[in-house]
Amino acid sequence: MTSLQNSEALPVNMNTTSFSQKVKQFLIIFLPIFTTQIALSAMSFFDTNMSGKFSPADLAGVAIGTSLWMPVQTGLSGILIGITPVVSHLLGSKRNDQIGYNVIQALYLGIAVSLVVIGAGALLLGPILNGMPLEHRVAQVAFYFLCALAFGIIPLFGYTVLRSFMDALGQTRTTMFITLVSLPVNIFLNYLLIFGRWGFPQLGGVGAGVATACTYWLIFLISLFFVHRVEPFAQYGIFRQWTRVSLSKWKELLKIGVPIGFATFFETSIFAAVTLMMSRFDTTTIAAHQAALNFASTLYMLPVSICMALTILVGYEAGAGRLRDARQYSLLGIGGAIGLSLLTAIVLIVFGEQIAGVYSNDREVIALTQHFLIYAIFFQISDAIATPTQGALRGYKDVNPALIITFIAYWIIGLPVGYLTATYTSLGAFGYWIGLIAGLAVGATALLWRLFLVQKQAALRKA
């Protein structure tokens, strides 16, 4: 099996691969992406955890700041990862000479998006925080944490584009390496800046924002070096010839990226909305909900990583016109995700009490968390279908229907069902999780139907 520049990336001639070779190829792409996602999540964990060691107010301030930033980051990063299916299609169709131009335009777009976010933050952050019933110290930490983080927005979105380019070439182990190198740096900078060690200023929770911004610059600069100087990336000459901004190319990238970004935002923000609506319940219930949701979010890294792997592999095969192989990768990814979700379901049933005990020592909280985790089993299975299916659809560059499906499933069906069930039945707080399950199940069914339709239409066009 030959490969790009003798690297262990996407094979050039994938139409001769057997199913076992496809499994191997899938794992080569998937495992580094999964490791990268876990490492990126760990940065937010250590920001919050280490701030909590400084003071409760700093913990609350960083938690508020992170809650405001994460939906923005995931939504806008979704827009920029639209470059992944673009590069995969160009690679599969042997139009390698156009890849560099597309990546440069995506970088320009990333800078423009960054400036818009910074400008919007300057105008809206103060009023948003002032409108929340926060203690002065908590609001102050949240404000300056996000101000410090703002200095890392441009490199973060630049890294998102470069990471998407490298991943699209199948070089997911490179982006894994970059992220794993940056994680201990982030933890070390947190230690220096939060607690004021080795002569550094003691900034508390604000120091976590400074450390994160510095880490974003680090991963961006390392990515620049790899893309410019290291093969197989250097062969595409991304920075050898600078071109002017092309609004028509931006429009093309946004046609793919915006639906991806909004679909991601609709899916992630519904959990934030449910958390806000849960505030009317007692502290024990809220704590149990947060603990179960946090663990479920960690498990969610599995289908998200499979989603990203399928975008690369299906995009490559669809670009090359090998629709049978693209369909096989889709089935492999979705089937694998379902299998893993059933394994995690067994873990949640058998070790629910131990998992809940990680988050609290309170017996009542542990018991409630176990109950929530049982509900989590059902939407984990729906996630295992819906999220990888979105990745396969992105590989076919079919993104607009997924945007409509996710909005209707999560916000028109899931949230209202959750509110009505929680308010007007004896289920109480568990009613919101019933709503999440209903919305995710509808979304999974509709997305799977859309994938079958797209594959059928592609086969008819080829015939």
Side-chain angles (χ1 to χ4, degrees):
M1 189 181 344
T2 58
S3 60
L4 292 170
Q5 293 294 306
N6 296 320
S7 66
E8 295 182 20
L10 288 170
V12 172
N13 188 23
M14 292 178 70
N15 58 332
T16 60
T17 58
S18 66
F19 182 76
S20 62
Q21 289 174 311
K22 281 187 170 64
V23 172
K24 179 182 178 181
Q25 184 64 47
F26 178 82
L27 291 174
I28 288 172
I29 301 295
F30 161 73
L31 290 174
I33 290 177
F34 179 60
T35 306
T36 301
Q37 290 300 115
I38 293 294
L40 289 172
S41 299
M43 288 187 194
S44 295
F45 170 79
F46 282 109
D47 283 351
T48 305
N49 182 269
M50 295 176 77
S51 297
K53 303 295 183 184
F54 188 81
S55 82
D58 286 79
L59 169 62
V62 171
I64 292 293
T66 302
S67 296
L68 291 173
W69 169 237
M70 288 307 292
V72 175
Q73 178 191 336
T74 54
L76 294 178
S77 294
I79 293 175
L80 297 175
I81 66 172
I83 190 66
T84 301
V86 171
V87 172
S88 293
H89 268 254
L90 291 173
L91 195 66
S93 57
K94 305 294 191 295
R95 291 179 289 164
N96 294 15
D97 58 311
Q98 298 180 31
I99 290 175
Y101 175 72
N102 278 269
V103 174
I104 279 291
Q105 292 300 321
L107 278 172
Y108 290 157
L109 180 59
I111 294 171
V113 169
S114 303
L115 295 176
V116 170
V117 172
I118 293 169
L123 293 173
L124 301 175
L125 181 57
I128 289 172
L129 290 173
N130 290 335
M132 300 174 72
L134 302 173
E135 295 177 12
H136 175 71
R137 171 64 181 162
V138 173
Q140 188 179 46
V141 170
F143 179 81
Y144 287 109
F145 169 81
L146 289 172
C147 286
L149 199 65
F151 286 95
I153 290 176
I154 290 177
L156 171 64
F157 287 162
Y159 167 70
T160 300
V161 172
L162 295 179
R163 177 194 169 187
S164 299
F165 160 64
M166 290 187 281
D167 284 351
L169 298 183
Q171 297 287 345
T172 52
R173 280 174 292 182
T174 301
T175 53
M176 177 188 71
F177 167 77
I178 294 171
T179 308
L180 289 178
V181 166
S182 66
L183 181 58
V185 173
N186 179 255
I187 296 170
F188 182 61
L189 290 175
N190 274 343
Y191 174 74
L192 295 180
L193 295 167
I194 292 174
F195 303 106
R197 307 300 190 204
W198 296 5
F200 283 82
Q202 189 181 74
L203 300 177
V206 178
V210 177
T212 300
C214 291
T215 306
Y216 288 160
W217 275 105
L218 175 66
I219 58 179
F220 177 59
L221 292 174
I222 295 175
S223 298
L224 280 177
F225 171 78
F226 271 88
V227 168
H228 186 53
R229 300 297 298 272
V230 178
E231 294 294 349
F233 316 113
Q235 65 179 288
Y236 296 98
I238 305 296
F239 303 112
R240 287 182 197 146
Q241 185 175 0
W242 291 90
T243 58
R244 294 181 179 180
V245 169
S246 170
L247 295 181
S248 61
K249 178 56 66 174
W250 282 18
K251 182 179 178 181
E252 180 185 332
L253 293 171
L254 288 171
K255 280 181 67 176
I256 297 173
V258 168
I260 293 175
F262 273 98
T264 304
F265 177 78
F266 290 146
E267 186 166 2
T268 56
S269 60
I270 190 174
F271 294 97
V274 166
T275 299
L276 292 174
M277 296 173 79
M278 289 278 290
S279 61
R280 65 188 177 93
F281 295 98
D282 60 81
T283 303
T284 299
T285 302
I286 296 171
H289 161 80
Q290 284 294 97
L293 192 60
N294 181 268
F295 189 76
S297 299
T298 303
L299 294 178
Y300 182 61
M301 292 301 103
L302 279 167
V304 163
S305 301
I306 291 173
C307 168
M308 297 172 73
L310 286 182
T311 299
I312 296 165
L313 291 163
V314 173
Y316 183 87
E317 297 292 3
R322 293 190 288 268
L323 301 181
R324 178 175 173 273
D325 296 277
R327 187 168 58 254
Q328 287 180 344
Y329 273 118
S330 302
L331 293 172
L332 174 63
I334 296 167
I338 294 171
L340 288 170
S341 73
L342 295 176
L343 285 177
T344 58
I346 295 171
V347 170
L348 290 174
I349 292 170
V350 175
F351 300 105
E353 184 176 357
Q354 290 82 351
I355 293 168
V358 172
Y359 291 91
S360 177
N361 295 320
D362 186 286
R363 296 306 308 172
E364 191 175 354
V365 172
I366 290 174
L368 267 177
T369 302
Q370 278 185 266
H371 202 154
F372 277 120
L373 287 173
I374 297 300
Y375 285 92
I377 290 172
F378 294 97
F379 72 68
Q380 285 294 314
I381 294 171
S382 293
D383 268 334
I385 299 171
T387 307
T389 301
Q390 285 193 65
L393 287 169
R394 292 169 191 173
Y396 288 106
K397 290 188 175 180
D398 187 81
V399 291
N400 288 317
L403 167 64
I404 298 168
I405 289 169
T406 52
F407 175 71
I408 293 174
Y410 304 146
W411 285 89
I412 304 300
I413 296 174
L415 199 61
V417 167
Y419 174 78
L420 293 172
T421 308
T423 306
Y424 298 106
T425 74
S426 59
L427 286 168
F430 298 114
Y432 284 114
W433 286 59
I434 295 290
L436 289 173
I437 292 167
L440 288 165
V442 170
T445 303
L447 287 166
L448 199 58
W449 172 82
R450 178 63 191 176
L451 177 60
F452 290 145
L453 185 63
V454 167
Q455 290 176 337
K456 183 178 179 181
Q457 290 173 341
L460 289 172
R461 283 196 300 270
K462 186 175 182 180

